[in-house]
Amino acid sequence: MKVDLLIRNGRVIDPSQNLSGHYDLAIREGRIVGLYEKGKTTDDQGMYLESQETIEAEGYVVTPGLIDLHAHVFPTKTSLGVAADRVGVEQGVTTVVDAGSVGLWSFDAFLEEAVHPSVTRVLAFLNISGDGLCTGGGELADMSRLTPREAVALIRKQPIVRGIKARMSGSVVKQNGLQPLLVAKEAAREAGVPMMVHIGNAPPKLTEILPLLDQGDVVTHAFHGKKGGMFDERGELIPEAQDALERGVLLDIGHGEASFSFQTLRHAQAQGITPHVISTDVHQRNIDGPVHSLTHTLTKFLAMGYALDEVIAASTYAPARILGLENEIGTLKVGACADVSILQLKKERTILTDSEQETVETKERVVAYQAITSGRVLTCK
């Protein structure tokens, strides 16, 4: 069998198939057509594969294309946005999900200026406010600017929109309390998509927000270090969070400028709570630190004692399932889109910083080497 690309001898980690070992990966016409044990690269008839291009991946880690579930990639219309490829394929990430930068009224511009020009696959959680972040913050302070019915209609015709975003911080909702969340939740239910909820400073309180969320909804910034988070003053999980986890609500890192704390993560580890998704909330104010990139964020979790297989699962298969695309991306299954990340575990002393300015030192970091999107090979910067 002739294939377009063969990735040989890499250490393959694919949590969607519980695979961790040395395999060869074959790609043809933008799809994965074979995954073979090292040294057994033959087709069904026992014939060796012929490849137009071969990548020798000995010493590298080969994973499904990394997915950043929370990013801001609408630079032409928002002050926070960064170019999708800068935080996408150039950093080994094949899919980025814009988390609420775009609302209904700027969606056409988002397609033309952020989605279509990008090599990186760009998806979106649509802001329940028609403004999105295009007029700055406080987008949920005026209930008349929420667009639930129109959002449902857009989701039904635009497959890049995978859910609805609501930022439930006091500075965003002002005097509206829980009302924007109730509107967003009703729209998400009608459209049959998950909702991503930003949590931060009250009001409203997290104890009021969590009971309103359904199985499959995502709490982003779940491990921030602010008051009123998932853990009380003693570091114990609050009852509403326990109930939400049992109900199937999912926890996303959403690192960001001010939303990830090593100490909060330690509280979670002590109680056996693991984040479902590791994402960056990368934007203009944190790309030069403390976030930098998804691989830099993954490095923080390795430094905190998580296994490599765990952090790969939380940045591939887990977000793909939330997006409803687990048979297309976030996997190396035969027939899936040929999105692949080739990573290196580089032995190098690195100081890692959270959003509270606490530092952790590590001797090994994750570095992106190449990104392959729909079979197209790009070398990372």
Side-chain angles (χ1 to χ4, degrees), residues 25-349:
L25 183 68
I27 293 169
R28 184 175 62 197
E29 297 178 353
R31 293 278 164 180
I32 294 169
V33 295
L35 189 61
Y36 308 92
E37 292 184 25
K38 183 178 178 180
K40 298 182 180 179
T41 312
T42 58
D43 63 18
D44 294 338
Q45 285 75 46
M47 302 294 291
Y48 280 95
L49 301 183
E50 297 180 25
S51 176
Q52 291 184 6
E53 182 179 0
T54 299
I55 295 174
E56 179 54 62
E58 183 76 41
Y60 291 90
V61 178
V62 179
T63 75
L66 297 178
I67 301 169
D68 193 343
L69 192 71
H70 186 158
H72 291 282
V73 291
F74 197 8
T76 59
K77 293 291 187 292
T78 69
S79 61
L80 289 177
V82 293
D85 288 343
R86 182 181 175 192
V87 295
V89 291
E90 292 178 13
Q91 300 293 335
V93 178
T94 58
T95 299
V96 297
V97 185
D98 186 276
S101 304
V102 60
L104 184 83
W105 299 328
S106 55
F107 189 76
D108 288 344
F110 180 69
L111 288 178
E112 292 303 315
E113 298 167 17
V115 177
H116 296 329
S118 301
V119 176
T120 309
R121 177 183 284 100
V122 179
L123 305 173
F125 278 91
L126 187 74
N127 199 309
I128 193 61
S129 166
D131 291 315
L133 299 182
C134 295
T135 57
E139 73 273 12
L140 302 183
D142 183 350
M143 294 294 293
S144 71
R145 302 186 74 77
L146 274 57
T147 58
R149 285 180 293 180
E150 298 89 341
V152 172
L154 181 67
I155 288 167
R156 287 174 174 164
K157 71 177 184 180
Q158 281 288 355
I160 75 158
V161 182
R162 308 309 299 180
I164 288 176
K165 174 75 180 291
R167 297 200 303 146
M168 296 305 296
S169 287
S171 60
V172 180
V173 303
K174 305 295 184 183
Q175 303 304 313
N176 288 326
L178 291 169
Q179 289 305 308
L181 180 61
L182 295 173
V183 171
K185 182 68 261 187
E186 184 177 355
R189 284 175 177 156
E190 185 176 348
V193 296
M195 184 169 62
M196 176 183 279
V197 179
H198 155 123
I199 61 170
N201 292 314
K205 295 179 180 179
L206 184 57
T207 54
E208 300 172 309
I209 293 169
L210 291 175
L212 300 176
L213 305 186
D214 294 333
Q215 179 180 3
D217 287 339
V218 179
V219 176
T220 193
H221 310 315
F223 296 81
H224 68 63
K226 305 166 189 174
K227 292 182 179 179
M230 289 206 312
F231 300 90
D232 63 22
E233 296 81 2
R234 300 169 299 170
E236 299 293 327
L237 187 69
I238 62 174
E240 292 82 1
Q242 182 63 52
D243 291 344
L245 288 172
E246 292 175 356
R247 205 163 59 246
V249 174
L250 305 172
L251 305 180
D252 173 40
I253 291 299
H255 189 311
E257 182 180 16
S259 299
F260 173 64
S261 161
F262 286 134
Q263 185 57 44
T264 302
L265 186 63
R266 292 186 191 99
H267 292 324
Q269 289 175 303
Q271 296 175 63
I273 297 167
T274 300
H276 298 96
V277 180
I278 300 173
S279 72
T280 62
D281 181 27
V282 66
H283 55 67
Q284 285 286 3
R285 293 202 303 260
N286 63 43
I287 191 169
D288 295 322
V291 173
H292 298 289
S293 66
L294 183 56
T295 52
H296 190 81
T297 304
L298 298 182
T299 299
K300 295 180 183 183
F301 285 80
L302 293 181
M304 292 294 286
Y306 290 88
L308 181 60
D309 290 29
E310 289 181 287
V311 302
I312 296 303
S315 55
T316 58
Y317 188 49
R321 290 182 67 188
I322 291 167
L323 297 166
L325 295 172
E326 63 269 29
N327 293 318
E328 185 72 4
I329 61 176
T331 181
L332 299 178
K333 293 177 182 176
V334 171
C337 186
D339 283 9
V340 182
S341 295
I342 302 180
L343 311 172
Q344 182 182 15
L345 294 178
K346 192 170 183 179
K347 302 293 184 182
E348 183 175 279
R349 179 180 177 271

